[in-house]
Amino acid sequence: MLERIPVNLITGYLGVGKTTAIVNLLREKPEDEKWAVLVNDFGEVSIDHLTLASEGDKELQVMEVEGGCICCSAAQNMHFSLQMMLTRLRPNRILIEPTGMGHPASILDLLRSRAFSNDIYVDTTICILNPAQLSRERYQTDGTYLDQISLADVLVANKTDLCTEEELEFFWEYAEELYPPKLVIDRIEQGRLKPEWLSLGIDENRLPQFPNEHLEHESPVENHTIQSVLFQQVPRVGKPIMKPNKGLGSYSCGWIFSHKEVFDLNKLNMLIVRWYFDSKIHRAKGILRTGEDWYLYNCVEGMPTSHYLAYRRDSRLELISSEPLDWKALQLQIQECIV
């Protein structure tokens, strides 16, 4: 009988740094081990998946779960992807990154189900949060956000270099009062999780406070067939592919631009930050060509960041909003940032 494979769920709300944290973990994995990552983006243009895949590690396999959120509308796709990963790859460890709006309860239920009981076991669940968000009413009244915290074995505050002492103090006080107590409560910077946190085990007494949070906000199921992947459109200069999406109480739109188009990053930064302060969007992320190089771009809470990425196929940008927007009008403004 084959040895069961440990699976870790890495949760956290939009923009807390889950993908960066997983990239850092992958860089510290044992050289003789083969790891695999399942990624689920809320948007339609697949940015987190490509970020991880661009690491170029031959002992790393990255798969994307399409068709919505893996905790609800894409649960069937999640089951299929995990089964295929176990059959074809048989890695030493699996990391799962749900969308930031994903509820972890049903994902954990699937991982513990009889269908996978002979192949995997659930190891430590890690939740990453931004202390600057924790005390805000918007998050304290969000059942998914609260259950990401409740169901985590390890709770870590990321981006602590960007929060105030008061926000960090609130995090410590809040975390210490949680029950069952966390195996680890800590602070990190730049998404640097400790690899040993992956193997601390679990507390099976952790229960969701809001298990039905997603029933009212399920995304429509889309048929992401093999044909749809094979016959994807290729973006042309001046004619990007636009992919709007909605679900879980949010709206998004993604664009894929030709690899020949070069962005003025400073101009785009000013545009997106202005949209944030105009309350149009609350998250932006992308992979953008800014010259000879491409950069991973993120804007969370009005604060943009970017760093070099070994990806060259195209440029792509995803915006997330709490209300429907005129995406075509926003596209025209984005195209004005192309040199």
Side-chain angles (χ1 to χ4, degrees):
M1 185 174 179
L2 294 173
E3 192 172 320
R4 293 197 299 163
I5 300 167
V7 179
N8 298 96
L9 200 58
I10 311 295
T11 68
Y13 221 64
L14 294 170
V16 297
K18 297 187 299 297
T19 303
T20 300
I22 291 175
V23 168
N24 290 333
L25 285 171
L26 295 174
R27 289 172 179 170
E28 296 190 52
K29 76 173 182 65
E31 292 185 5
D32 60 341
E33 289 190 4
K34 178 170 63 177
W35 287 17
V37 184
L38 271 178
V39 185
N40 177 219
D41 261 331
F42 173 71
E44 291 290 311
V45 296
S46 182
I47 292 169
D48 293 342
H49 165 243
L50 295 176
T51 302
L52 291 163
S54 69
E55 282 297 292
D57 187 341
K58 293 181 181 180
E59 295 303 313
L60 168 66
Q61 299 292 330
V62 182
M63 293 182 66
E64 180 186 24
V65 182
E66 296 182 312
C69 176
I70 58 176
C71 69
C72 46
S73 61
Q76 185 174 356
N77 290 355
M78 159 80 173
H79 189 288
F80 174 77
S81 298
L82 184 57
Q83 193 65 61
M84 185 167 63
M85 181 176 281
L86 292 169
T87 302
R88 296 183 180 181
L89 306 177
R90 204 70 199 176
N92 299 100
R93 181 176 294 275
I94 298 172
L95 305 180
I96 298 179
E97 180 192 352
T99 171
M101 291 178 286
H103 196 292
S106 57
I107 304 171
L108 290 168
D109 287 344
L110 173 64
L111 297 176
R112 292 168 178 153
S113 68
R114 292 182 62 185
F116 296 108
S117 60
N118 292 328
D119 295 300
I120 64 174
Y121 67 91
V122 177
D123 213 334
T124 314
T125 293
I126 301 175
C127 177
I128 305 170
L129 61 78
N130 181 350
Q133 297 173 337
L134 182 61
S135 60
R136 298 180 188 177
E137 183 180 0
R138 171 187 167 190
Y139 298 98
Q140 283 294 322
T141 57
D142 188 309
T144 296
Y145 180 88
L146 295 174
D147 272 350
Q148 288 176 355
I149 295 172
S150 296
L151 293 169
D153 300 295
V154 170
L155 183 64
V156 293
N158 192 27
K159 303 190 176 183
T160 54
D161 52 326
L162 302 176
C163 68
T164 66
E165 287 299 321
E166 291 78 12
E167 289 166 340
L168 194 55
E169 184 63 30
F170 182 83
F171 162 74
W172 291 118
E173 292 176 359
Y174 180 91
E176 291 291 349
E177 292 177 359
L178 293 171
Y179 186 84
K182 302 304 180 188
L183 302 180
V184 171
I185 300 170
D186 211 337
R187 58 179 290 181
I188 59 174
E189 294 180 5
Q190 300 178 349
R192 300 196 179 280
L193 297 173
K194 295 180 180 179
E196 56 264 32
W197 288 345
L198 296 174
S199 306
L200 296 177
I202 62 172
D203 185 335
E204 295 185 357
N205 294 316
R206 303 190 195 282
L207 298 173
Q209 302 175 58
F210 308 92
N212 300 321
E213 178 69 10
H214 271 196
L215 294 182
E216 298 177 2
H217 303 293
E218 287 197 6
S219 306
V221 179
E222 296 186 13
N223 183 20
H224 290 265
T225 62
I226 294 176
Q227 286 81 5
S228 71
V229 174
L230 291 176
F231 296 103
Q232 286 178 342
Q233 295 173 275
V234 176
R236 292 180 291 167
V237 173
K239 294 186 177 181
I241 300 168
M242 184 174 74
K243 296 187 175 186
N245 187 25
K246 63 179 180 179
L248 309 177
S250 292
Y251 300 81
S252 76
C253 189
W255 292 269
I256 304 177
F257 299 86
S258 168
H259 70 282
K260 297 179 181 179
E261 295 176 297
V262 178
F263 283 83
D264 181 330
L265 191 57
N266 290 330
K267 194 173 181 180
L268 184 65
N269 268 338
M270 289 189 289
L271 178 64
I272 289 177
V273 170
R274 190 179 80 233
W275 284 342
Y276 170 78
F277 286 106
D278 288 343
S279 299
K280 286 189 175 181
I281 64 167
H282 57 254
R283 175 77 199 282
K285 60 181 177 178
I287 299 173
L288 302 168
R289 181 182 180 185
T290 61
E292 293 300 317
D293 295 321
W294 271 252
Y295 284 82
L296 175 66
Y297 176 83
N298 265 296
C299 187
V300 182
E301 304 289 337
M303 300 185 66
T305 60
S306 60
H307 65 259
Y308 175 81
L309 191 67
Y311 177 82
R312 297 290 182 273
R313 197 168 68 207
D314 50 47
S315 287
R316 42 188 72 201
L317 182 68
E318 187 93 42
L319 304 178
I320 300 177
S321 172
S322 56
E323 59 185 42
L325 298 174
D326 185 345
W327 298 119
K328 290 185 179 179
L330 268 60
Q331 175 182 307
L332 293 175
Q333 295 180 64
I334 293 169
Q335 287 178 285
E336 291 177 359
C337 299
I338 296 174
V339 178

